[in-house]
PDB file of all heavy atoms in Angstrom:
ATOM      1  N   ASP A   1       0.836  -1.208   0.000  1.00  0.00           N
ATOM      2  CA  ASP A   1       0.000   0.000   0.000  1.00  0.00           C
ATOM      3  C   ASP A   1       0.870   1.256   0.000  1.00  0.00           C
ATOM      4  O   ASP A   1       0.607   2.220  -0.726  1.00  0.00           O
ATOM      5  CB  ASP A   1      -0.923   0.022   1.225  1.00  0.00           C
ATOM      6  CG  ASP A   1      -2.084  -0.960   1.083  1.00  0.00           C
ATOM      7  OD1 ASP A   1      -2.389  -1.339  -0.059  1.00  0.00           O
ATOM      8  OD2 ASP A   1      -2.684  -1.324   2.112  1.00  0.00           O
ATOM      9  N   LYS A   2       1.923   1.229   0.831  1.00  0.00           N
ATOM     10  CA  LYS A   2       2.825   2.383   0.895  1.00  0.00           C
ATOM     11  C   LYS A   2       3.564   2.570  -0.430  1.00  0.00           C
ATOM     12  O   LYS A   2       3.758   3.695  -0.895  1.00  0.00           O
ATOM     13  CB  LYS A   2       3.817   2.216   2.042  1.00  0.00           C
ATOM     14  CG  LYS A   2       3.174   2.358   3.420  1.00  0.00           C
ATOM     15  CD  LYS A   2       4.200   2.182   4.528  1.00  0.00           C
ATOM     16  CE  LYS A   2       3.549   2.320   5.904  1.00  0.00           C
ATOM     17  NZ  LYS A   2       4.493   2.056   6.998  1.00  0.00           N
ATOM     18  N   LEU A   3       3.960   1.454  -1.046  1.00  0.00           N
ATOM     19  CA  LEU A   3       4.632   1.548  -2.346  1.00  0.00           C
ATOM     20  C   LEU A   3       3.674   2.098  -3.396  1.00  0.00           C
ATOM     21  O   LEU A   3       4.075   2.846  -4.287  1.00  0.00           O
ATOM     22  CB  LEU A   3       5.142   0.168  -2.777  1.00  0.00           C
ATOM     23  CG  LEU A   3       6.223  -0.474  -1.910  1.00  0.00           C
ATOM     24  CD1 LEU A   3       6.693  -1.782  -2.532  1.00  0.00           C
ATOM     25  CD2 LEU A   3       7.412   0.470  -1.737  1.00  0.00           C
ATOM     26  N   GLY A   4       2.389   1.711  -3.269  1.00  0.00           N
ATOM     27  CA  GLY A   4       1.382   2.214  -4.204  1.00  0.00           C
ATOM     28  C   GLY A   4       1.253   3.717  -4.148  1.00  0.00           C
ATOM     29  O   GLY A   4       0.993   4.365  -5.165  1.00  0.00           O
ATOM     30  N   HIS A   5       1.447   4.290  -2.959  1.00  0.00           N
ATOM     31  CA  HIS A   5       1.422   5.756  -2.829  1.00  0.00           C
ATOM     32  C   HIS A   5       2.734   6.352  -3.326  1.00  0.00           C
ATOM     33  O   HIS A   5       2.743   7.377  -4.009  1.00  0.00           O
ATOM     34  CB  HIS A   5       1.184   6.155  -1.367  1.00  0.00           C
ATOM     35  CG  HIS A   5      -0.211   5.920  -0.895  1.00  0.00           C
ATOM     36  ND1 HIS A   5      -1.245   6.809  -1.142  1.00  0.00           N
ATOM     37  CD2 HIS A   5      -0.764   4.892  -0.218  1.00  0.00           C
ATOM     38  CE1 HIS A   5      -2.359   6.340  -0.624  1.00  0.00           C
ATOM     39  NE2 HIS A   5      -2.103   5.173  -0.055  1.00  0.00           N
ATOM     40  N   ALA A   6       3.857   5.685  -2.992  1.00  0.00           N
ATOM     41  CA  ALA A   6       5.173   6.220  -3.349  1.00  0.00           C
ATOM     42  C   ALA A   6       5.381   6.276  -4.854  1.00  0.00           C
ATOM     43  O   ALA A   6       6.092   7.152  -5.365  1.00  0.00           O
ATOM     44  CB  ALA A   6       6.261   5.370  -2.698  1.00  0.00           C
ATOM     45  N   VAL A   7       4.750   5.349  -5.575  1.00  0.00           N
ATOM     46  CA  VAL A   7       4.970   5.267  -7.015  1.00  0.00           C
ATOM     47  C   VAL A   7       4.406   6.495  -7.748  1.00  0.00           C
ATOM     48  O   VAL A   7       4.843   6.838  -8.838  1.00  0.00           O
ATOM     49  CB  VAL A   7       4.362   3.944  -7.548  1.00  0.00           C
ATOM     50  CG1 VAL A   7       2.869   4.052  -7.773  1.00  0.00           C
ATOM     51  CG2 VAL A   7       5.046   3.484  -8.813  1.00  0.00           C
ATOM     52  N   TYR A   8       3.429   7.196  -7.103  1.00  0.00           N
ATOM     53  CA  TYR A   8       2.759   8.350  -7.730  1.00  0.00           C
ATOM     54  C   TYR A   8       3.415   9.697  -7.403  1.00  0.00           C
ATOM     55  O   TYR A   8       3.091  10.701  -8.042  1.00  0.00           O
ATOM     56  CB  TYR A   8       1.319   8.448  -7.241  1.00  0.00           C
ATOM     57  CG  TYR A   8       0.370   7.409  -7.786  1.00  0.00           C
ATOM     58  CD1 TYR A   8       0.019   6.304  -7.024  1.00  0.00           C
ATOM     59  CD2 TYR A   8      -0.218   7.545  -9.040  1.00  0.00           C
ATOM     60  CE1 TYR A   8      -0.871   5.363  -7.502  1.00  0.00           C
ATOM     61  CE2 TYR A   8      -1.113   6.607  -9.519  1.00  0.00           C
ATOM     62  CZ  TYR A   8      -1.440   5.517  -8.746  1.00  0.00           C
ATOM     63  OH  TYR A   8      -2.320   4.584  -9.220  1.00  0.00           O
ATOM     64  N   VAL A   9       4.266   9.751  -6.374  1.00  0.00           N
ATOM     65  CA  VAL A   9       4.763  11.053  -5.924  1.00  0.00           C
ATOM     66  C   VAL A   9       5.623  11.699  -7.007  1.00  0.00           C
ATOM     67  O   VAL A   9       6.210  10.995  -7.848  1.00  0.00           O
ATOM     68  CB  VAL A   9       5.583  10.920  -4.610  1.00  0.00           C
ATOM     69  CG1 VAL A   9       4.727  10.374  -3.501  1.00  0.00           C
ATOM     70  CG2 VAL A   9       6.821  10.074  -4.826  1.00  0.00           C
ATOM     71  N   PRO A  10       5.692  13.040  -7.036  1.00  0.00           N
ATOM     72  CA  PRO A  10       6.549  13.704  -8.024  1.00  0.00           C
ATOM     73  C   PRO A  10       7.969  13.147  -7.965  1.00  0.00           C
ATOM     74  O   PRO A  10       8.561  13.042  -6.888  1.00  0.00           O
ATOM     75  CB  PRO A  10       6.504  15.172  -7.592  1.00  0.00           C
ATOM     76  CG  PRO A  10       5.180  15.308  -6.900  1.00  0.00           C
ATOM     77  CD  PRO A  10       4.966  14.003  -6.196  1.00  0.00           C
ATOM     78  N   GLY A  11       8.487  12.759  -9.098  1.00  0.00           N
ATOM     79  CA  GLY A  11       9.799  12.140  -9.148  1.00  0.00           C
ATOM     80  C   GLY A  11       9.738  10.635  -8.987  1.00  0.00           C
ATOM     81  O   GLY A  11      10.742   9.952  -9.167  1.00  0.00           O
ATOM     82  N   GLY A  12       8.561  10.118  -8.628  1.00  0.00           N
ATOM     83  CA  GLY A  12       8.386   8.675  -8.483  1.00  0.00           C
ATOM     84  C   GLY A  12       8.418   7.996  -9.842  1.00  0.00           C
ATOM     85  O   GLY A  12       8.232   8.644 -10.884  1.00  0.00           O
ATOM     86  N   PRO A  13       8.620   6.685  -9.874  1.00  0.00           N
ATOM     87  CA  PRO A  13       8.838   5.988 -11.143  1.00  0.00           C
ATOM     88  C   PRO A  13       7.655   6.018 -12.113  1.00  0.00           C
ATOM     89  O   PRO A  13       7.859   5.871 -13.316  1.00  0.00           O
ATOM     90  CB  PRO A  13       9.154   4.552 -10.702  1.00  0.00           C
ATOM     91  CG  PRO A  13       8.626   4.426  -9.319  1.00  0.00           C
ATOM     92  CD  PRO A  13       8.743   5.777  -8.708  1.00  0.00           C
ATOM     93  N   ALA A  14       6.432   6.206 -11.592  1.00  0.00           N
ATOM     94  CA  ALA A  14       5.277   6.189 -12.503  1.00  0.00           C
ATOM     95  C   ALA A  14       4.663   7.569 -12.698  1.00  0.00           C
ATOM     96  O   ALA A  14       3.711   7.719 -13.474  1.00  0.00           O
ATOM     97  CB  ALA A  14       4.206   5.226 -11.973  1.00  0.00           C
ATOM     98  N   TYR A  15       5.200   8.583 -12.013  1.00  0.00           N
ATOM     99  CA  TYR A  15       4.571   9.903 -11.996  1.00  0.00           C
ATOM    100  C   TYR A  15       4.367  10.469 -13.407  1.00  0.00           C
ATOM    101  O   TYR A  15       3.248  10.806 -13.805  1.00  0.00           O
ATOM    102  CB  TYR A  15       5.408  10.859 -11.147  1.00  0.00           C
ATOM    103  CG  TYR A  15       4.869  12.273 -11.095  1.00  0.00           C
ATOM    104  CD1 TYR A  15       3.867  12.608 -10.200  1.00  0.00           C
ATOM    105  CD2 TYR A  15       5.374  13.273 -11.949  1.00  0.00           C
ATOM    106  CE1 TYR A  15       3.372  13.909 -10.142  1.00  0.00           C
ATOM    107  CE2 TYR A  15       4.889  14.566 -11.902  1.00  0.00           C
ATOM    108  CZ  TYR A  15       3.891  14.875 -11.000  1.00  0.00           C
ATOM    109  OH  TYR A  15       3.388  16.157 -10.958  1.00  0.00           O
ATOM    110  N   GLU A  16       5.449  10.586 -14.163  1.00  0.00           N
ATOM    111  CA  GLU A  16       5.355  11.239 -15.476  1.00  0.00           C
ATOM    112  C   GLU A  16       4.476  10.442 -16.443  1.00  0.00           C
ATOM    113  O   GLU A  16       3.696  11.014 -17.212  1.00  0.00           O
ATOM    114  CB  GLU A  16       6.754  11.436 -16.059  1.00  0.00           C
ATOM    115  CG  GLU A  16       7.570  12.478 -15.299  1.00  0.00           C
ATOM    116  CD  GLU A  16       8.911  12.753 -15.975  1.00  0.00           C
ATOM    117  OE1 GLU A  16       9.137  12.222 -17.080  1.00  0.00           O
ATOM    118  OE2 GLU A  16       9.717  13.510 -15.380  1.00  0.00           O
ATOM    119  N   GLN A  17       4.570   9.107 -16.391  1.00  0.00           N
ATOM    120  CA  GLN A  17       3.751   8.280 -17.283  1.00  0.00           C
ATOM    121  C   GLN A  17       2.262   8.453 -16.979  1.00  0.00           C
ATOM    122  O   GLN A  17       1.441   8.530 -17.890  1.00  0.00           O
ATOM    123  CB  GLN A  17       4.128   6.803 -17.107  1.00  0.00           C
ATOM    124  CG  GLN A  17       5.525   6.433 -17.569  1.00  0.00           C
ATOM    125  CD  GLN A  17       5.784   4.954 -17.348  1.00  0.00           C
ATOM    126  OE1 GLN A  17       5.215   4.111 -18.035  1.00  0.00           O
ATOM    127  NE2 GLN A  17       6.627   4.643 -16.371  1.00  0.00           N
ATOM    128  N   VAL A  18       1.915   8.537 -15.671  1.00  0.00           N
ATOM    129  CA  VAL A  18       0.504   8.665 -15.285  1.00  0.00           C
ATOM    130  C   VAL A  18      -0.040  10.028 -15.722  1.00  0.00           C
ATOM    131  O   VAL A  18      -1.139  10.136 -16.276  1.00  0.00           O
ATOM    132  CB  VAL A  18       0.340   8.457 -13.760  1.00  0.00           C
ATOM    133  CG1 VAL A  18      -1.082   8.804 -13.315  1.00  0.00           C
ATOM    134  CG2 VAL A  18       0.659   7.011 -13.383  1.00  0.00           C
ATOM    135  N   VAL A  19       0.746  11.073 -15.492  1.00  0.00           N
ATOM    136  CA  VAL A  19       0.299  12.420 -15.892  1.00  0.00           C
ATOM    137  C   VAL A  19       0.153  12.492 -17.410  1.00  0.00           C
ATOM    138  O   VAL A  19      -0.821  13.049 -17.933  1.00  0.00           O
ATOM    139  CB  VAL A  19       1.299  13.486 -15.388  1.00  0.00           C
ATOM    140  CG1 VAL A  19       0.932  14.862 -15.949  1.00  0.00           C
ATOM    141  CG2 VAL A  19       1.312  13.522 -13.856  1.00  0.00           C
ATOM    142  N   ALA A  20       1.097  11.916 -18.149  1.00  0.00           N
ATOM    143  CA  ALA A  20       1.027  11.928 -19.615  1.00  0.00           C
ATOM    144  C   ALA A  20      -0.193  11.170 -20.114  1.00  0.00           C
ATOM    145  O   ALA A  20      -0.842  11.566 -21.092  1.00  0.00           O
ATOM    146  CB  ALA A  20       2.306  11.319 -20.197  1.00  0.00           C
ATOM    147  N   ALA A  21      -0.557  10.084 -19.425  1.00  0.00           N
ATOM    148  CA  ALA A  21      -1.671   9.248 -19.876  1.00  0.00           C
ATOM    149  C   ALA A  21      -3.019   9.831 -19.504  1.00  0.00           C
ATOM    150  O   ALA A  21      -3.997   9.666 -20.245  1.00  0.00           O
ATOM    151  CB  ALA A  21      -1.528   7.837 -19.293  1.00  0.00           C
ATOM    152  N   PHE A  22      -3.106  10.556 -18.368  1.00  0.00           N
ATOM    153  CA  PHE A  22      -4.428  10.970 -17.865  1.00  0.00           C
ATOM    154  C   PHE A  22      -4.620  12.481 -17.789  1.00  0.00           C
ATOM    155  O   PHE A  22      -5.681  12.947 -17.390  1.00  0.00           O
ATOM    156  CB  PHE A  22      -4.687  10.324 -16.499  1.00  0.00           C
ATOM    157  CG  PHE A  22      -4.796   8.828 -16.583  1.00  0.00           C
ATOM    158  CD1 PHE A  22      -3.695   8.018 -16.319  1.00  0.00           C
ATOM    159  CD2 PHE A  22      -5.978   8.218 -16.962  1.00  0.00           C
ATOM    160  CE1 PHE A  22      -3.772   6.646 -16.427  1.00  0.00           C
ATOM    161  CE2 PHE A  22      -6.075   6.838 -17.065  1.00  0.00           C
ATOM    162  CZ  PHE A  22      -4.968   6.048 -16.808  1.00  0.00           C
ATOM    163  N   GLY A  23      -3.612  13.246 -18.195  1.00  0.00           N
ATOM    164  CA  GLY A  23      -3.815  14.683 -18.346  1.00  0.00           C
ATOM    165  C   GLY A  23      -3.406  15.512 -17.150  1.00  0.00           C
ATOM    166  O   GLY A  23      -3.355  15.018 -16.017  1.00  0.00           O
ATOM    167  N   ALA A  24      -3.116  16.801 -17.416  1.00  0.00           N
ATOM    168  CA  ALA A  24      -2.633  17.715 -16.381  1.00  0.00           C
ATOM    169  C   ALA A  24      -3.690  18.008 -15.323  1.00  0.00           C
ATOM    170  O   ALA A  24      -3.367  18.469 -14.217  1.00  0.00           O
ATOM    171  CB  ALA A  24      -2.169  19.028 -17.024  1.00  0.00           C
ATOM    172  N   GLU A  25      -4.982  17.733 -15.652  1.00  0.00           N
ATOM    173  CA  GLU A  25      -6.052  18.046 -14.689  1.00  0.00           C
ATOM    174  C   GLU A  25      -6.002  17.163 -13.444  1.00  0.00           C
ATOM    175  O   GLU A  25      -6.677  17.447 -12.443  1.00  0.00           O
ATOM    176  CB  GLU A  25      -7.434  17.936 -15.351  1.00  0.00           C
ATOM    177  CG  GLU A  25      -7.812  16.554 -15.862  1.00  0.00           C
ATOM    178  CD  GLU A  25      -7.407  16.337 -17.317  1.00  0.00           C
ATOM    179  OE1 GLU A  25      -6.460  17.000 -17.785  1.00  0.00           O
ATOM    180  OE2 GLU A  25      -8.065  15.515 -17.972  1.00  0.00           O
ATOM    181  N   ILE A  26      -5.203  16.081 -13.461  1.00  0.00           N
ATOM    182  CA  ILE A  26      -5.104  15.233 -12.266  1.00  0.00           C
ATOM    183  C   ILE A  26      -4.022  15.734 -11.317  1.00  0.00           C
ATOM    184  O   ILE A  26      -3.830  15.157 -10.242  1.00  0.00           O
ATOM    185  CB  ILE A  26      -4.804  13.754 -12.637  1.00  0.00           C
ATOM    186  CG1 ILE A  26      -3.394  13.603 -13.224  1.00  0.00           C
ATOM    187  CG2 ILE A  26      -5.854  13.194 -13.583  1.00  0.00           C
ATOM    188  CD1 ILE A  26      -2.937  12.151 -13.343  1.00  0.00           C
ATOM    189  N   VAL A  27      -3.309  16.832 -11.706  1.00  0.00           N
ATOM    190  CA  VAL A  27      -2.184  17.336 -10.901  1.00  0.00           C
ATOM    191  C   VAL A  27      -2.647  18.496 -10.027  1.00  0.00           C
ATOM    192  O   VAL A  27      -3.286  19.438 -10.499  1.00  0.00           O
ATOM    193  CB  VAL A  27      -1.021  17.787 -11.809  1.00  0.00           C
ATOM    194  CG1 VAL A  27       0.136  18.314 -10.961  1.00  0.00           C
ATOM    195  CG2 VAL A  27      -0.560  16.643 -12.697  1.00  0.00           C
ATOM    196  N   ASN A  28      -2.341  18.434  -8.723  1.00  0.00           N
ATOM    197  CA  ASN A  28      -2.632  19.527  -7.795  1.00  0.00           C
ATOM    198  C   ASN A  28      -1.663  20.687  -8.020  1.00  0.00           C
ATOM    199  O   ASN A  28      -0.663  20.551  -8.743  1.00  0.00           O
ATOM    200  CB  ASN A  28      -2.489  19.041  -6.340  1.00  0.00           C
ATOM    201  CG  ASN A  28      -3.564  18.033  -5.966  1.00  0.00           C
ATOM    202  OD1 ASN A  28      -4.735  18.200  -6.293  1.00  0.00           O
ATOM    203  ND2 ASN A  28      -3.157  16.974  -5.258  1.00  0.00           N
ATOM    204  N   GLU A  29      -1.959  21.821  -7.380  1.00  0.00           N
ATOM    205  CA  GLU A  29      -1.107  22.998  -7.519  1.00  0.00           C
ATOM    206  C   GLU A  29       0.307  22.737  -7.026  1.00  0.00           C
ATOM    207  O   GLU A  29       1.265  23.319  -7.535  1.00  0.00           O
ATOM    208  CB  GLU A  29      -1.711  24.186  -6.750  1.00  0.00           C
ATOM    209  CG  GLU A  29      -2.972  24.737  -7.395  1.00  0.00           C
ATOM    210  CD  GLU A  29      -3.500  25.954  -6.651  1.00  0.00           C
ATOM    211  OE1 GLU A  29      -2.824  26.410  -5.694  1.00  0.00           O
ATOM    212  OE2 GLU A  29      -4.587  26.440  -7.021  1.00  0.00           O
TER     213      GLU A  29
END
């Protein structure tokens, strides 16, 4: 569960791929 959260954090291994796939609207300020 903790790894599942860590994978999304800025700089995390899946961060850029997720944002590219689902759009900038999923990113907080």
